[in-house]
Amino acid sequence: MEQYEPDRLSPARAAAMRRSFTSGRAALTRRSLLRASAGGALAAGGLGTLSACGIPPAGKTEGGVSSDDRSKKEKVVDFSNWTEYMDVDESGRRHPTLEAFTKRTGVKVKYTEDINDNGEFFGKIQPQLSAGQETGRDIIVLTDWLAARLIRLGWVQKLDPANLPHAFANLSPQFRNPDWDPGRAYSYPWQGISTVIAYNKKALDGVEVKTVSDLLDNPKLKGRVGFLTEMRDTVGMVLLDMGKDPARFSDDDYDAAIARLQKGVDSGQIRRFTGNDYTADISKGDFAACLAWAGDVVQLKADNPDVDFVIPDSGYITSSDNMLVPNKARHKTNAERLMDYYYEPGPAAQLAAYINFVCPVDGVKDELAKIDEDAANNPLIIPDKAMQDRSRAFRSLSPKEETAYEEKFAKLTGA
């Protein structure tokens, strides 16, 4: 098994994480700033904690470490998730799907919204996991890059397929085989996060936008275009526009994508790089078009009829937030039962109707239509096969690659 060795972040990677914490996807609650009152910015001391402990180097492991599974004796499961990432009733205090799970199984869910960003949460659990101790959690939800690192370190447990029949059968094809967890041996997606092109019809005033090239090259959009501060989303979309696969690109491909973006910066075509604050720009028309996250676009469209989106023919970037069972979890079987429950169409539909992110569960559309027909017909929530086929993931990076790539991206964005 790989040995964890703390290392300090390079300035570029520290800056990248700081961007993510303060303005990128990590700064969002999972219902987005459009509906949630609480933000996900880095808590005091979070970056310092992460810098001190470092990010573990990638490498191969033999898998996680189990503990004495007390699921039969203790009818409980401890579930840590992001804020505003679970259905609630009108009172805002109860979670209907969790209560239904408990009623059916007798397993009580201790649900805690204690994940505000990946780095801060890593700082919470790293001391226990690196010491071979339990974290007090049976399920944690982490974004792709951090889920990959915990798997490589051997800090999460291999899942038992016998306890996950619905998950195995109903997982959407676009999420089945990430390069960091082929076949989903250690993880299952909680929700998907897609990057698309959003536009303001009024601000476009008849100008057609269908591709990333339109954003970068159409002189009629000069100074009215936005790209994201998240490197994987922005560079991934440019790579796709160049005909490159974000899952298999080379250093030269990456440099070519950066060069295309740099040209847009130098010419004034790109107004600025943003985190979630693009929502105000696109709504007001300060941006005529920009890269955007699908969960935001769903809400933007509901609030402003001028806002819409397009999926480029070249494809779009999708990542996911993923459920994992950490080492030494006391209730692994109960955790797997809860994971599997959210891959049943009924509970999956209830969840999708509330949080409006990409549902990773196949066969949920009819159930969702009973709750919210508009949501069921929204390809940003329930992608059809054609849209799924255009979905691409940004490949895993080695620590060396991540440092080099973030340095170049930081120079581009002025971070």
Side-chain angles (χ1 to χ4, degrees):
M1 190 187 308
E2 176 187 343
Q3 185 69 31
Y4 174 73
E5 296 180 359
D7 63 304
R8 293 193 63 82
L9 296 175
S10 70
R13 289 173 70 186
M17 290 183 179
R18 191 175 292 111
R19 288 198 310 272
S20 181
F21 295 153
T22 56
S23 64
R25 207 165 54 211
L28 308 178
T29 62
R30 282 335 200 223
R31 289 276 287 162
S32 91
L33 297 176
L34 296 167
R35 285 193 176 181
S37 59
L42 178 65
L47 186 60
T49 300
L50 183 59
S51 296
C53 69
I55 293 295
K60 273 199 158 184
T61 71
E62 296 176 359
V65 179
S66 62
S67 183
D68 178 27
D69 191 349
R70 306 182 187 184
S71 293
K72 290 184 178 180
K73 298 177 182 178
E74 300 175 2
K75 297 294 184 180
V76 66
V77 59
D78 292 278
F79 186 0
S80 282
N81 205 349
W82 296 74
T83 56
E84 303 289 339
Y85 218 10
M86 180 66 74
D87 59 304
V88 298
D89 66 2
E90 292 182 0
S91 74
R93 295 187 296 270
R94 299 171 58 190
H95 303 293
T97 56
L98 290 177
E99 291 186 359
F101 174 78
T102 297
K103 184 176 180 179
R104 181 200 296 183
T105 65
V107 176
K108 183 177 180 180
V109 182
K110 181 182 178 183
Y111 185 72
T112 308
E113 295 181 330
D114 62 346
I115 305 178
N116 289 316
D117 61 66
N118 288 285
E120 179 190 357
F121 188 70
F122 179 83
K124 289 181 182 179
I125 63 176
Q126 178 269 326
Q128 289 83 18
L129 291 174
S130 62
Q133 301 170 353
E134 63 179 276
T135 65
R137 300 167 174 89
D138 301 306
I139 300 176
I140 55 178
V141 178
L142 302 175
T143 306
D144 290 348
W145 68 268
L146 186 54
R149 294 187 187 281
L150 263 64
I151 290 171
R152 287 167 181 160
L153 283 165
W155 287 359
V156 294
Q157 297 185 51
K158 196 168 186 178
L159 302 174
D160 184 350
N163 295 327
L164 294 154
H166 296 98
F168 181 80
N170 296 336
L171 177 59
S172 171
Q174 74 183 100
F175 296 106
R176 280 194 178 272
N177 285 292
D179 64 353
W180 48 270
D181 187 17
R184 292 289 181 179
Y186 294 90
S187 68
Y188 270 94
W190 177 248
Q191 296 292 295
I193 306 166
S194 295
T195 304
V196 300
I197 296 175
Y199 60 87
N200 185 305
K201 287 178 276 190
K202 186 175 181 180
L204 282 179
D205 193 26
V207 176
E208 188 174 65
V209 172
K210 290 186 175 182
T211 67
V212 172
S213 287
D214 291 333
L215 300 183
L216 289 171
D217 300 331
N218 191 328
K220 294 181 179 179
L221 299 179
K222 184 175 181 178
R224 299 191 297 138
V225 166
F227 283 77
L228 294 167
T229 55
E230 292 287 344
M231 181 269 287
R232 289 166 176 80
D233 295 317
T234 286
V235 175
M237 291 293 282
V238 174
L239 285 168
L240 284 168
D241 188 71
M242 295 165 54
K244 304 295 182 179
D245 186 348
R248 295 179 177 83
F249 66 90
S250 66
D251 288 348
D252 288 343
D253 295 333
Y254 183 89
D255 289 345
I258 291 293
R260 285 199 70 197
L261 289 162
Q262 187 66 59
K263 180 180 177 182
V265 170
D266 294 343
S267 68
Q269 182 77 7
I270 298 174
R271 185 185 184 99
R272 66 190 183 105
F273 292 84
T274 71
N276 184 250
D277 46 332
Y278 71 80
T279 56
D281 290 311
I282 198 71
S283 294
K284 292 186 298 183
D286 292 341
F287 283 165
C290 65
L291 295 188
W293 293 305
D296 290 333
V297 176
V298 172
Q299 301 306 321
L300 287 167
K301 281 173 57 66
D303 295 337
N304 185 343
D306 287 328
V307 175
D308 213 330
F309 73 97
V310 64
I311 304 295
D313 287 342
S314 59
Y316 65 101
I317 295 293
T318 298
S319 59
S320 57
D321 288 327
N322 309 278
M323 297 179 284
L324 306 103
V325 178
N327 283 357
K328 299 290 186 176
R330 295 188 177 194
H331 312 104
K332 180 174 181 284
T333 298
N334 290 343
E336 291 166 339
R337 292 177 70 187
L338 183 57
M339 288 182 180
D340 193 62
Y341 167 75
Y342 280 105
Y343 275 81
E344 296 179 26
Q350 287 180 261
L351 186 65
Y354 183 77
I355 62 178
N356 294 160
F357 276 76
V358 181
C359 180
V361 183
D362 258 359
V364 76
K365 184 173 183 177
D366 289 345
E367 289 294 325
L368 183 55
K370 298 174 185 177
I371 304 170
D372 186 337
E373 189 169 350
D374 288 340
N377 292 319
N378 190 331
L380 297 182
I381 300 173
I382 308 294
D384 57 22
K385 187 178 185 305
M387 186 168 174
Q388 288 182 15
D389 288 345
R390 284 186 279 171
S391 172
R392 296 292 183 271
F394 197 95
R395 70 172 172 83
S396 298
L397 301 178
S398 69
K400 182 178 179 180
E401 285 178 321
E402 188 163 354
T403 296
Y405 291 173
E406 287 290 5
E407 285 178 349
K408 292 172 183 178
F409 191 70
K411 183 178 179 181
L412 168 74
T413 61

